[in-house]
Amino acid sequence: MSMKPLVPGEVPAETVRVARAAFPKGSLAIRVRDELGVMFTDEHFSGLFPARGKRAWSPGRLALVLVLQFVDNLTDRQAAEAVRARIDWKYALGLELTDPGFDHSVLCEFRDRLIGAEGGREVLDGVLTAARERGLLASGGRARTDSTHVLSAVRALNQLELVSECLRSALNAVARVEPDWLRERALQDWFRHYATRADETRFPKDRTKRTQLYERIGTDGMHLLRLVWAADAPQRLRELPEAEILRQAWVQHFHVVEGEVRRRGPKDRPPGATRLASPYDVQARNGVKGEIRWDGYKVHLTESCEPDTAHLITNVVTTHGAVSDDRMATVVHAGLAAKGLLPAEHWVDSGYANAAALTAAHRDHGVALHGPLKSVTSAQSRGDATFGQEAFTVDWDQQQAGCPDGHTSTYWRQARSQQGAPVIRIQFSPRDCKPCPRQPECINSKPGSRRLVRRELTLRPRAEHETLQQARALQQTDEWKDRYKIRAGVEGTVSQGVIAHGLRRSRYRGLAKAGLQHQLTTAAINIVRIDAHLTGKPHAPTRTSPVAALCPTG
């Protein structure tokens, strides 16, 4: 299809007349057109279509359809039907009442084009631009960020189901492209064990029998891999995505011990960031946040939070579920800087706040990042020991540290943490620490231990350490604690996205499609909030359950 840009014009007179009569008080779609005008033009998406070919439906209008679709959390069929049947949608799109709309498959094709060009960001930015022109959004001020888990579009699998489904998926792919080749080489048991889905199989509960079943699947999968990668096997079998997924899964879950396929132990498997969670969504990962465990993705939402104006989502970032929040502050700030929407103050929870993030935010963007800092603990200061890092003085120029009893460190070295971050290792002499009367308050050593009795410190580089100390001191004040209450409002944004717009569950498979869904969802949330602000609808109050209201204070 080709795209011939359509110059947005006035809404047809007959559409205006009927819409005003049908909606005397207006509707969200009508107010969007009246208050924000044409947010998306065809020129915004000109790079998605070739110059020649059959004329496509207006991509500017399709972008608005996608936003309105996520406003009401509709399927593609329901959205296409709304374009045909709903008068207020025809008004917002500037269509004649007799316009037949399009087939629902057009929305799927348009989303595929948006994914390839990061067009979801164009859609969200179009809404933000309209809000800025209306005076509802500006840089500076305050913003807040939080993340929430997003379930994959496919069913969660336990490890036994995972390896079974990886093998079944590979067998089905091979059977589609080379049925005769597989028929000649398949083991007879394969047709009985892998012809149906894993969840239709009743796995044994006994631990020994489950281990035996696990290793039988591992042996079958290894046999198929050897067949596919044999020299006389058709080349296209090795090019099947399902075959590569099977190979990755078997590397992660099995190894060969004395010629036998054995299951890897938990400590011998790769971390969650690289481990497959499903053969049907290979980019989904197992995530952990507090007590919540899930397979899928994570979305980070940043919104403005100035009083007396609409609280609009200004940035959204989607990652797979295993990415930790402590890596995301710099990513969020880079996204806000690209839009020209950096805040002066950025309020986050403890997951985002760390020394590196606070330092980088101020140094690179002039943003004051605020969030509760996690307490510093070490193996030496646990138990009865009470002296943390704050009890020690640091002389950066002389590269020495002083302990509470007045002793000076004897060792100072630049090093790297387990995560690869630069740190400084500091040690005190055992000759000072062992006879020290304050040793029980400083070192949690076991009686009779053969290890040297000495205190060790691990510090961040000077800029980060000093930023950390200043932030810790600030966070002890009542003023900061009172100001931090503003961050709690972002929980309502997450709740709105989950309850009203289906944010919790991915509609599509893959990180790129999940990211597009989140861009469209946040654009829809912004449309709803702009409409609520313009019509004077107040923010919903914080809801307290009757039992919680009875809880005694303190």
Side-chain angles (χ1 to χ4, degrees), residues 98-314:
T98 55
D99 193 296
F102 50 82
D103 186 78
H104 71 278
S105 61
V106 171
L107 291 175
C108 180
E109 295 172 1
F110 184 58
R111 282 196 304 271
D112 288 342
R113 294 179 186 272
L114 291 178
I115 291 171
E118 294 191 354
R121 191 171 301 169
E122 285 281 348
V123 175
L124 177 58
D125 289 350
V127 176
L128 295 177
T129 299
R132 294 181 81 160
E133 293 174 352
R134 195 68 168 71
L136 301 176
L137 185 63
S139 60
R142 291 176 290 181
R144 53 196 178 197
T145 295
D146 198 11
S147 68
T148 189
H149 63 287
V150 179
L151 305 179
S152 173
V154 300
R155 191 175 71 87
L157 304 173
N158 60 42
Q159 291 186 11
L160 195 53
E161 291 174 325
L162 170 63
V163 295
S164 180
E165 281 298 301
C166 284
L167 179 52
R168 190 177 76 89
S169 174
L171 285 170
N172 283 331
V174 172
R176 279 193 297 271
V177 299
E178 292 288 349
D180 295 333
W181 182 89
L182 182 61
R183 186 183 296 110
E184 294 173 0
R185 293 164 176 78
L187 301 180
Q188 191 62 36
D189 286 346
W190 287 1
F191 301 103
R192 178 163 55 93
H193 293 312
Y194 310 114
T196 59
R197 289 170 28 176
D199 61 349
E200 297 179 9
T201 302
R202 184 168 295 180
F203 294 129
K205 295 184 178 180
D206 180 74
R207 183 187 296 269
T208 302
K209 291 182 179 180
R210 288 178 72 89
T211 300
Q212 292 172 352
L213 174 59
Y214 204 111
E215 294 180 351
R216 186 259 293 167
I217 296 172
T219 301
D220 290 343
M222 192 69 72
H223 184 60
L224 177 61
L225 288 171
R226 287 168 179 157
L227 290 175
V228 170
W229 263 267
D232 60 344
Q235 174 64 28
R236 59 178 178 171
L237 292 182
R238 292 188 284 275
E239 298 172 355
L240 290 172
E242 293 83 358
E244 176 59 22
I245 292 170
L246 178 65
R247 188 193 67 79
Q248 292 181 20
W250 257 237
V251 169
Q252 294 175 359
H253 289 272
F254 299 99
H255 58 168
V256 178
V257 180
E258 298 180 353
E260 300 290 333
V261 179
R262 293 287 181 262
R263 180 184 182 183
R264 290 185 183 272
K267 295 184 179 180
D268 198 25
R269 297 180 202 135
T274 58
R275 193 168 61 245
L276 290 173
S278 171
Y280 307 115
D281 189 350
V282 296
Q283 293 179 312
R285 292 292 183 266
N286 178 258
V288 179
K289 190 174 184 181
E291 300 297 322
I292 303 173
R293 293 178 177 270
W294 76 98
D295 291 340
Y297 305 95
K298 188 185 289 186
V299 60
H300 303 261
L301 304 177
T302 302
E303 69 172 359
S304 60
C305 53
E306 287 299 293
D308 303 324
T309 188
H311 294 167
L312 302 181
I313 300 174
T314 54

Side-chain angles (χ1 to χ4, degrees), residues 287-430:
V288 179
K289 190 174 184 181
E291 300 297 322
I292 303 173
R293 293 178 177 270
W294 76 98
D295 291 340
Y297 305 95
K298 188 185 289 186
V299 60
H300 303 261
L301 304 177
T302 302
E303 69 172 359
S304 60
C305 53
E306 287 299 293
D308 303 324
T309 188
H311 294 167
L312 302 181
I313 300 174
T314 54
N315 192 69
V316 56
V317 180
T318 304
T319 67
H320 62 69
V323 175
S324 176
D325 289 354
D326 61 5
R327 306 179 187 179
M328 297 307 299
T330 55
V331 178
V332 171
H333 291 151
L336 291 169
K339 296 183 174 80
L341 290 173
L342 280 170
E345 295 180 357
H346 189 188
W347 297 86
V348 296
D349 64 16
S350 59
Y352 295 88
N354 54 68
L358 267 64
T359 304
H362 183 266
R363 180 190 66 232
D364 300 338
H365 302 289
V367 174
L369 183 65
H370 294 280
L373 294 166
K374 297 178 182 178
S375 59
V376 179
T377 59
S378 67
Q380 290 187 315
S381 61
R382 292 172 187 158
D384 296 332
T386 58
F387 287 152
Q389 287 186 1
E390 66 279 357
F392 293 77
T393 60
V394 181
D395 188 335
W396 293 94
D397 296 327
Q398 298 297 322
Q399 295 190 347
Q400 291 180 334
C403 77
D405 202 53
H407 299 294
T408 303
S409 63
T410 58
Y411 181 85
W412 178 294
R413 182 173 67 89
Q414 307 285 341
R416 293 275 176 179
S417 68
Q418 293 182 346
Q419 293 75 29
V423 295
I424 297 169
R425 308 284 189 195
I426 301 173
Q427 294 177 354
F428 289 82
S429 172

